[in-house]
Amino acid sequence: YDKINPVSRMADLERVFPVIDSVNKEGDAVQNQEPHKTQSSPISDDSNRCSFLELPVPIIFKVLTYLPAKDIICNIGLVCPYLAEIVNDKQLWVYRNSTLSKNRFPVVRSKKLTDSVEFWRKAALLREEESEKWKSCKFSKCTLPEVHYAGLDSIWMNTESTLLATGGRDRQIVITKIHERKHVQTLSGHNGWVWSLESTKSDEYLVSGSWDHSLRYWNIENGRCESIYSSGSPVLSLSCFNHDDPVMFYSTYHRNVGVVDFRIPEIPVQSLLSDKYHRKAILAVQCYGDYHLITGSEDCLVKLIDIRTRQVVKKIKLPSMVLSMHYKDGHLVVACKDQKLYFLDPEEMSICGIVEPEHEKKMTCVSYCSGCIITGSADCTVKVWEPTENARCLATLNDMSNCVTGLCYRNGILAVVGDNCKTILYIPDGHSAAD
């Protein structure tokens, strides 16, 4: 960039931005006014005009709020080194996030999170894209063919968002190609409802947990069950540290958390925790960091457990039983039976914020990212919210005729299942398998 002539560089910039003479209280650019008299600039050969780069940095920040975040990241930062430095300034993105909503964001303000420029930049980009998509209905809805003959309880989507798996009360797992809307495989073998699904080994294998006290290890390509593991209790939730990891953690109805290593076929499952940590069923388990698990139970407790020592590090008791939870981007979002969402700081296991979604019945599932929160409810609706405290509702989806039992949101694609055998996809406009 330094080798580019400053005058020609400024000419390129001013094709994007008109000359800005002043900014009013609200920050709107005032145009078509007589230019102010300014001193001559080394990057402008017109002494009667104020070039864009000569404006104070706070005004440049304000002007950039009128451009989409994607354009700023992909185009403005490439104009010259000075603008590249501004685009990489954390304060620009902190300010931009503050203009998107007056509500507190992020709700969990850990130093590790808020010190990152990448977090603020990614958050601004995602929040703008999600708000535009859901408010303007820039998505298509698709109901998949009903292969199951009983209600659904679990759902999984691969990393590329090309495959979808659903588990149901008919004891089967159905795999569908998302962009072809085509059923490709049915996995049979469980003798009870399929309550949870998760993948391992870079999405090559699918793990299912069932009410029949077993976990099954499936080869997705050929549909063969390669291993069966006994859990001794109905399996309610699955989680792994990453999708390349051959180790899977699970929680059960009888208050246990177990671990399975798929490199060792069909051995008795090693119990990780005894039932003294929870007094009722553990409905949700999430891997956190490198060595911790988070468990949520019907006894209203959420606990942080160190898997190396098998000891509880932190815990918190919520006002109501935990029904679902999701951890991402430093936020642990817990949906409870009292129809409230609790934002927890997993490090301190403390409540940082509470949202009361406008569902008429209990929430059954929740998904969080820096761009939005998505909740599913027994009132047959799915709602999309701002990822802030006192969040505004961006969209309400009323396409389910029965209780929403599960949802999965990845790469902009939302998949929802219910206890009426139905699976609905919401795909952004212009989205393709290569996106």
Side-chain angles (χ1 to χ4, degrees):
Y1 296 129
D2 293 335
K3 296 180 181 179
I4 301 175
N5 184 288
V7 174
S8 64
R9 189 168 64 219
M10 193 59 209
D12 289 339
L13 181 64
E14 290 183 346
R15 278 197 291 270
V16 180
F17 294 102
V19 175
I20 298 172
D21 302 297
S22 61
V23 177
N24 65 10
K25 296 179 188 176
E26 291 74 29
D28 295 328
V30 178
Q31 301 175 350
N32 302 322
Q33 293 183 3
E34 187 67 20
H36 295 299
K37 297 289 184 179
T38 59
Q39 296 179 352
S40 61
S41 165
I43 58 174
S44 176
D45 54 5
D46 187 348
S47 61
N48 294 323
R49 302 176 67 193
C50 174
S51 72
F52 178 73
L53 295 187
E54 292 175 316
L55 293 172
V57 171
I59 295 181
I60 293 178
F61 281 9
K62 184 65 180 180
V63 172
L64 292 180
T65 62
Y66 293 93
L67 291 177
K70 188 174 182 179
D71 288 347
I72 297 173
I73 295 169
C74 298
N75 299 321
I76 301 303
L78 304 180
V79 172
C80 66
Y82 179 64
L83 283 178
E85 184 179 350
I86 288 179
V87 169
N88 290 318
D89 189 336
K90 185 184 80 172
Q91 294 305 318
L92 169 66
W93 300 106
V94 172
Y95 173 71
R96 190 176 186 92
N97 275 279
S98 71
T99 64
L100 297 177
S101 172
K102 295 180 180 179
N103 296 324
R104 176 185 170 91
F105 178 86
V107 181
V108 178
R109 301 223 165 190
S110 65
K111 184 175 176 58
K112 182 179 178 181
L113 195 68
T114 56
D115 281 352
S116 168
V117 179
E118 186 57 32
F119 165 76
W120 291 103
R121 182 164 45 209
K122 177 184 174 183
L125 180 63
L126 289 177
R127 291 177 69 188
E128 289 181 18
E129 289 181 348
E130 296 295 339
S131 179
E132 176 69 14
K133 177 175 68 178
W134 297 110
K135 282 184 175 181
S136 304
C137 298
K138 292 185 176 181
F139 57 85
S140 58
K141 183 189 73 173
C142 170
T143 302
L144 297 180
E146 293 185 11
V147 180
H148 290 277
Y149 58 83
L152 308 181
D153 289 302
S154 54
I155 187 169
W156 164 86
M157 192 186 300
N158 69 344
T159 306
E160 291 80 20
S161 298
T162 56
L163 290 177
L164 184 75
T166 53
R169 300 168 194 175
D170 56 3
R171 308 174 183 182
Q172 295 182 334
I173 301 164
V174 171
I175 298 179
T176 304
K177 286 188 176 180
I178 290 177
H179 296 283
E180 298 177 17
R181 280 68 156 172
K182 180 181 178 182
H183 162 239
V184 291
Q185 281 192 82
T186 299
L187 311 180
S188 301
H190 278 296
N191 295 315
W193 294 5
V194 181
W195 275 85
S196 51
L197 296 169
E198 187 55 270
S199 63
T200 185
K201 290 191 177 178
S202 301
D203 292 342
E204 294 178 11
Y205 291 86
L206 184 68
V207 183
S208 58
S210 170
W211 197 259
D212 65 5
H213 301 199
S214 75
L215 296 91
R216 288 179 177 254
Y217 186 56
W218 306 88
N219 185 311
I220 294 178
E221 184 176 358
N222 58 32
R224 189 179 68 181
C225 179
E226 304 213 342
S227 300
I228 303 174
Y229 300 83
S230 174
S231 61
S233 179
V235 179
L236 304 182
S237 181
L238 296 168
S239 185
C240 60
F241 282 102
N242 63 71
H243 293 296
D244 294 324
D245 197 339
V247 176
M248 185 72 64
F249 295 88
Y250 68 91
S251 66
T252 73
Y253 178 78
H254 291 106
R255 306 171 293 183
N256 292 318
V257 174
V259 57
V260 173
D261 189 335
F262 296 110
R263 293 169 294 191
I264 308 173
E266 302 189 35
I267 62 170
V269 174
Q270 177 188 6
S271 178
L272 180 65
L273 300 177
S274 69
D275 58 8
K276 68 180 180 180
Y277 296 110
H278 285 284
R279 291 179 284 107
K280 294 184 179 181
I282 304 173
L283 299 184
V285 61
Q286 287 269 307
C287 291
Y288 169 68
D290 295 323
Y291 304 106
H292 293 87
L293 293 179
I294 302 172
T295 57
S297 169
E298 288 183 344
D299 62 8
C300 308
L301 290 170
V302 178
K303 297 191 175 186
L304 179 67
I305 301 160
D306 191 322
I307 62 174
R308 296 165 296 185
T309 63
R310 305 187 186 185
Q311 298 296 316
V312 175
V313 180
K314 300 275 186 180
K315 65 179 179 179
I316 185 172
K317 186 165 185 176
L318 298 177
S320 182
M321 65 181 283
V322 175
L323 296 179
S324 178
M325 66 184 188
H326 189 219
Y327 171 77
K328 193 171 183 180
D329 296 336
H331 289 65
L332 178 65
V333 182
V334 182
C336 290
K337 194 175 180 180
D338 60 2
Q339 301 183 41
K340 293 180 181 179
L341 285 178
Y342 294 88
F343 289 84
L344 304 184
D345 181 350
E347 288 285 345
E348 301 298 327
M349 205 51 70
S350 58
I351 298 176
C352 297
I354 301 174
V355 174
E356 298 188 34
E358 300 163 357
H359 286 294
E360 296 178 1
K361 296 182 180 179
K362 66 180 181 182
M363 285 175 287
T364 55
C365 44
V366 61
S367 179
Y368 174 87
C369 70
S370 295
C372 65
I373 308 168
I374 305 177
T375 56
S377 169
D379 65 7
C380 312
T381 66
V382 173
K383 290 179 181 286
V384 184
W385 308 86
E386 286 182 335
T388 63
E389 194 173 25
N390 302 319
R392 289 182 301 135
C393 183
L394 301 176
T396 300
L397 309 175
N398 298 300
D399 303 300
M400 276 291 177
S401 56
N402 288 71
C403 172
V404 176
T405 54
L407 61 85
C408 185
Y409 190 56
R410 182 167 283 174
N411 299 325
I413 296 179
L414 173 62
V416 181
V417 295
D419 62 6
N420 58 350
C421 312
K422 187 181 289 187
T423 303
I424 299 178
L425 297 176
Y426 299 90
I427 302 177
D429 292 347
H431 193 285
S432 65
D435 286 346

